[in-house]
Amino acid sequence: MSRIRKAVFPVAGLGTRFLPATKAMPKEMLTVVDRPVIQHVVDEAREAGIEHFIFVTGRNKGVIEDHFDKQVELEATLERRGKDRELAELEGSLPGPGQTSFTRQQAPLGLGHAVWCARELVGNEPFALLLPDMVMQDAPGCLKQMLDTYADLAAPANLLAVEEVAPELAHQYGIVGVGETVGRAFRVEGMIEKPAPGTAPSNLFISGRYILQPEIFALLGAHQTGAGGEIQLTDAMIRLAKTQAFYGYQFRGKSFDCGSKIGFLHANVAFALAHEDLATEFRQVLRDLLAEDLG
Ligand code: G1P
């Protein structure tokens, strides 16, 4: 199985659900405790051994490119002031020179279109796709677990991370049908994007982490629209599944849908409770607040 070297991050979404916070700032730069959402997702990819980070951006997203650049003046200042920990933190979270690429989606035509915009940068090799709305809290990270699972599958395979969803929320996601078990994965028997209530083939949703073969790009290039009038990635995957195997993998860990306010708040609380410098004090803050709230 060929190694997965490149990861794609579609970061062109408008973030309308977070207005006015996202009027001048990309939603991917909202922070979960002490780092932007996009940093959490890039960290997950780095941990998995990804070597090239491809961002599909849009207007007003320039600050994401700045975030993943070296800040020479800031680093010099930190060094002068003896702020070694902050300096190490900055240096440790940065992909190296030449390891990032940025391209623009130009028009908000859907997730499938955003992925297609990365075709030249990915080239003819399998790649990882991470949707930055989904922030994972697990060790090892979701993508690392997926790559370990992918290594055992017969080529050419596509692999989707899946997770359980409550039936009343299934219509918000892509849902997979479950076939036979193959090692740690299972064969995907059909997929549907945003099924009408009561029609989901299972309770497993596609949770924003994919390993895909490059043949997906030709199918995305047909620019067929689906649910919500958008070019849907799931529809292209359904077409690719006619000629290539698709597997699902139920990863170990928790995900937070930071594309919604409640998921974003949930992520902040969960990450603060797991943060070594903050956990004790924050737990007490939460206890006090809840005690007040419950009267
Ligand atoms: C996208 C995918 C969907 C997936 C979801 C995970 O939907 O199309 O299949 O389940 O991400 O967050 P979106 O959130 O862009 O509506």
Side-chain angles (χ1 to χ4, degrees):
M1 208 57 140
S2 59
R3 211 156 55 85
I4 306 295
R5 302 184 308 124
K6 298 182 180 179
V8 174
F9 304 86
V11 289
L14 294 175
T16 46
R17 275 187 273 180
F18 284 90
L19 284 169
T22 49
K23 204 173 149 197
M25 184 181 67
K27 63 174 174 167
E28 297 81 7
M29 290 302 290
L30 296 171
T31 54
V32 172
V33 182
D34 55 3
R35 61 199 61 212
V37 163
I38 186 65
Q39 176 85 58
H40 284 278
V41 183
V42 165
D43 286 348
E44 180 189 330
R46 294 182 76 216
E47 184 214 16
I50 294 297
E51 294 163 11
H52 199 96
F53 304 81
I54 298 165
F55 298 84
V56 181
T57 73
R59 288 168 63 80
N60 298 328
K61 301 282 184 168
V63 68
I64 296 177
E65 190 165 347
D66 291 341
H67 182 76
F68 289 105
D69 192 8
K70 209 168 165 65
Q71 260 261 38
V72 180
E73 279 169 35
L74 176 62
E75 289 185 14
T77 308
L78 291 175
E79 201 169 347
R80 246 193 343 268
R81 295 188 182 166
K83 302 240 176 218
D84 297 340
R85 187 170 157 185
E86 288 79 358
L87 192 59
E89 179 80 27
L90 273 191
E91 282 173 349
S93 61
L94 193 63
Q99 287 190 303
T100 51
S101 295
F102 297 83
T103 188
R104 288 200 177 198
Q105 190 183 1
Q106 296 186 353
L109 299 179
L111 175 61
H113 180 258
V115 175
W116 178 73
C117 290
R119 66 200 180 281
E120 296 291 337
L121 293 167
V122 171
N124 191 27
E125 59 182 281
F127 63 101
L129 169 66
L130 297 94
L131 307 191
D133 275 354
M134 301 304 281
V135 171
M136 310 301 201
Q137 191 183 40
D138 38 35
C142 178
L143 189 62
K144 171 90 175 71
Q145 294 178 41
M146 286 177 80
L147 291 185
D148 291 346
T149 306
Y150 176 77
D152 295 337
L153 298 171
N158 298 271
L159 183 64
L160 313 175
V162 298
E163 201 183 342
E164 285 181 8
V165 63
E168 64 275 17
L169 298 180
H171 68 279
Q172 296 180 5
Y173 297 104
I175 306 289
V176 297
V178 180
E180 60 166 337
T181 303
V182 181
R184 278 169 285 185
F186 62 84
R187 275 220 177 235
V188 168
E189 297 283 350
M191 297 169 245
I192 177 163
E193 184 64 23
K194 312 224 164 43
T199 65
S202 79
N203 65 343
L204 294 178
F205 82 101
I206 302 170
S207 55
R209 301 291 183 270
Y210 311 70
I211 294 171
L212 295 170
Q213 298 296 321
E215 286 74 19
I216 195 76
F217 290 122
L219 298 166
L220 288 170
H223 290 181
Q224 282 179 26
T225 54
E230 296 190 339
I231 299 169
Q232 294 288 351
L233 174 62
T234 304
D235 294 343
M237 294 197 301
I238 291 168
R239 291 200 286 281
L240 185 54
K242 293 191 175 128
T243 55
Q244 287 183 0
F246 269 76
Y247 297 91
Y249 169 65
Q250 210 170 341
F251 67 100
R252 296 178 306 277
K254 274 192 230 154
S255 77
F256 302 94
D257 186 349
C258 290
S260 78
K261 281 183 193 160
I262 199 76
F264 176 71
L265 292 172
H266 193 174
N268 268 287
V269 174
F271 276 78
L273 286 173
H275 193 289
E276 57 174 337
D277 296 342
L278 296 173
T280 310
E281 217 176 316
F282 185 61
R283 194 166 290 118
Q284 192 54 48
V285 168
L286 278 185
R287 275 204 196 99
D288 294 348
L289 273 178
L290 286 174
E292 254 173 62
D293 187 53
L294 300 171

